[in-house]
């Protein structure tokens, strides 16, 4: 089990023979193609910070009844997905450190089974995180364009069904992905899902901001102050756009890595890109660290509740 390599299908291309892979590495090993030696402590520190932050977000949403709405329930599920990233990465890091230092001695078959379980957890967090970002975007879209019908469209029952369905599908799909990790078809499905959700969210945000621009233009012409509700909705759209941008920056290299595995596993440039996989893992964990900060600073109600949770003002 290589150093902090949470998904077997991402560690190295499986459709390359050992000899060809060695030649490719030699051909691409000049200068900047040596990869990055990232300390274990950095992974553990970022994972711990992410875990604490997301726990606070979940606690704040559960504590404040004003936050008991479908939108914040979806945000709570996204925080749980981020915690899943942190916990699984920290668990694998600690597990491997114990094995490397001889503190923990286990049969290779048990190690492989443990590795598979952690792989499923991380893969589930990938699918569920992107899914909940898409659901949150759709929820905000309904809030803006179907404000009067929002509570009849996005009922609590439908929200619960949506959340349960996402977790169920994420778990099943991640299990299939890890089981059939040698198949390019499985990887292509994951890449297609990422691109589909990205396009969907971009379309929704473009439409929302087109409305925002039109609304602000109307306010300027009429010289009337904006309504609190619409202003809050547009602020929420800005928040989700920031989340989308952060997600794309943090997860983009990860999915580009998948694309290169499928398209050019023996190309020297691709082999060079593979050597930076630990950096992609750091970016993924950074996404889990950044998301709660966005919630805390963009939502006044959540920020106030977080302060109460931290100071134990129950």
């Amino acid at each position: 089990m290589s150093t902090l390599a949470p998904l077997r299908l991402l560690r190295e291309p499986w459709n390359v023979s050992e000899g060809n892979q060695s030649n490719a590495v030699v051909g691409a090993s000049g200068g900047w193609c040596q990869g990055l030696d990232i300390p274990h402590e950095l992974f553990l520190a970022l994972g711990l910070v992410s875990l604490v932050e997301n726990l606070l977000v979940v606690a704040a949403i559960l504590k404040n009844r004003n936050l008991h709405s479908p939108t914040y329930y979806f945000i709570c599920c996204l925080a749980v997905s981020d915690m899943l990233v942190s916990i699984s990465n920290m668990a694998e890091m600690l597990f491997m450190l114990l094995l490397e230092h001889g503190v923990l001695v286990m049969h290779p078959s048990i190690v492989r089974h443990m590795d598979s379980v952690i792989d499923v957890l991380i893969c589930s967090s990938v699918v569920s995180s992107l899914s909940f970002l898409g659901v949150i975007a759709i929820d905000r879209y309904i809030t803006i364009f179907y404000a009067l019908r929002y509570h009849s469209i996005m009922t609590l029952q439908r929200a619960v069904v949506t959340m349960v369905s996402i977790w169920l599908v994420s778990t099943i799909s991640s299990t299939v992905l890890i089981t059939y990790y040698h198949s390019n078809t499985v990887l292509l499905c994951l890449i297609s899902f990422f691109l589909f959700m990205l396009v969907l969210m971009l379309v929704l945000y473009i439409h929302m901001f087109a409305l925002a621009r039109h609304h602000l233009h109307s306010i300027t012409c009429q010289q009337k102050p904006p309504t609190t509700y619409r202003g809050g909705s547009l602020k929420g759209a800005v928040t989700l756009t920031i989340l989308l941008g952060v997600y794309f920056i943090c997860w983009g290299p990860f999915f580009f890595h998948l694309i290169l595995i499928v398209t050019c596993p023996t190309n020297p440039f691709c082999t060079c890109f593979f050597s930076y996989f630990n950096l992609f893992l750091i970016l993924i964990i950074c996404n889990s660290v950044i998301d709660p900060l966005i919630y805390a600073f963009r939502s006044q109600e959540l920020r106030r509740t977080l302060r109460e949770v931290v100071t134990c003002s129950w």
Side-chain angles (χ1 to χ4, degrees):
M1 197 161 52
S2 60
T3 302
L4 196 63
L7 291 178
R8 281 176 299 187
L9 66 162
L10 303 181
R11 293 169 190 173
E12 61 185 22
W14 58 84
N15 49 351
V16 183
S17 64
E18 184 175 353
N20 290 337
Q21 186 173 350
S22 300
N23 294 333
V25 172
V26 171
S29 60
W32 60 278
C33 289
Q34 300 298 324
L36 292 177
D37 185 17
I38 299 178
H40 298 320
E41 294 77 10
L42 180 58
F43 283 101
L44 293 175
L46 287 175
L48 184 60
V49 171
S50 172
L51 178 61
V52 172
E53 287 181 345
N54 285 286
L55 275 175
L56 289 175
V57 172
V58 173
I61 293 175
L62 295 179
K63 175 183 181 296
N64 191 340
R65 291 188 176 183
N66 294 330
L67 302 177
H68 291 183
S69 64
T71 298
Y72 283 101
Y73 285 149
F74 294 144
I75 291 176
C76 183
C77 286
L78 181 59
V80 173
S81 295
D82 288 337
M83 281 195 297
L84 191 60
V85 174
S86 304
I87 293 173
S88 53
N89 274 295
M90 290 174 62
E92 184 166 22
M93 171 59 70
L94 291 174
F95 182 64
M96 287 164 38
L97 286 176
L98 291 175
L99 288 176
E100 289 176 2
H101 290 82
V103 178
L104 184 64
V105 179
M106 301 178 67
H107 192 274
S109 61
I110 299 178
V111 173
R112 286 194 296 270
H113 287 307
M114 291 288 295
D115 189 30
S116 297
V117 171
I118 295 175
D119 287 350
V120 171
L121 288 176
I122 296 180
C123 190
S124 297
S125 69
V126 174
V127 179
S128 61
S129 294
L130 187 55
S131 299
F132 282 115
L133 277 177
V135 169
I136 293 171
I138 294 173
D139 177 79
R140 182 55 56 185
Y141 184 86
I142 296 174
T143 302
I144 294 178
F145 288 94
Y146 302 95
L148 298 178
R149 298 171 51 200
Y150 174 80
H151 293 290
S152 62
I153 296 175
M154 188 58 70
T155 62
L156 181 59
Q157 182 180 4
R158 289 177 179 173
V160 171
V161 170
T162 300
M163 290 184 289
V164 172
S165 299
I166 288 177
W167 284 116
L168 185 61
V169 172
S170 298
T171 303
I172 295 175
S173 61
S174 61
T175 303
V176 173
L177 178 63
I178 298 303
T179 303
Y180 299 100
Y181 68 95
H182 281 100
S183 173
N184 279 346
T185 304
V186 174
L187 276 185
L188 288 174
C189 290
L190 183 59
I191 295 170
S192 300
F193 175 70
F194 171 77
L195 294 177
F196 171 77
M197 296 302 296
L198 182 61
V199 171
L200 173 65
M201 287 185 279
L202 284 175
V203 170
L204 294 178
Y205 292 141
I206 290 174
H207 197 186
M208 282 189 279
F209 280 114
L211 174 65
R213 184 176 180 181
H214 175 74
H215 183 64
L216 293 176
H217 178 72
S218 300
I219 293 173
T220 303
C221 295
Q222 299 175 10
Q223 295 184 348
K224 293 181 180 180
T227 62
T228 302
Y229 177 80
R230 182 58 60 86
S233 298
L234 296 178
K235 181 181 179 181
V238 174
T239 300
L240 293 175
T241 303
I242 294 174
L243 285 171
L244 176 63
V246 170
Y247 191 94
F248 181 78
I249 293 173
C250 293
W251 284 100
F254 173 88
F255 281 94
F256 187 57
H257 184 101
L258 289 180
I259 294 173
L260 294 184
I261 286 178
V262 174
T263 58
C264 60
T266 60
N267 184 278
F269 169 80
C270 299
T271 305
C272 183
F273 192 82
F274 297 150
S275 65
Y276 286 85
F277 185 65
N278 277 350
L279 176 61
F280 310 152
L281 292 180
I282 284 291
L283 290 175
I284 290 173
I285 300 176
C286 284
N287 178 76
S288 301
V289 173
I290 294 172
D291 282 354
L293 297 178
I294 297 176
Y295 307 145
F297 286 106
R298 298 293 299 182
S299 171
Q300 183 177 359
E301 183 75 14
L302 184 54
R303 185 169 63 246
R304 180 182 64 80
T305 309
L306 280 173
R307 191 181 301 113
E308 294 177 358
V309 171
V310 172
T311 58
C312 298
S313 302
W314 299 86

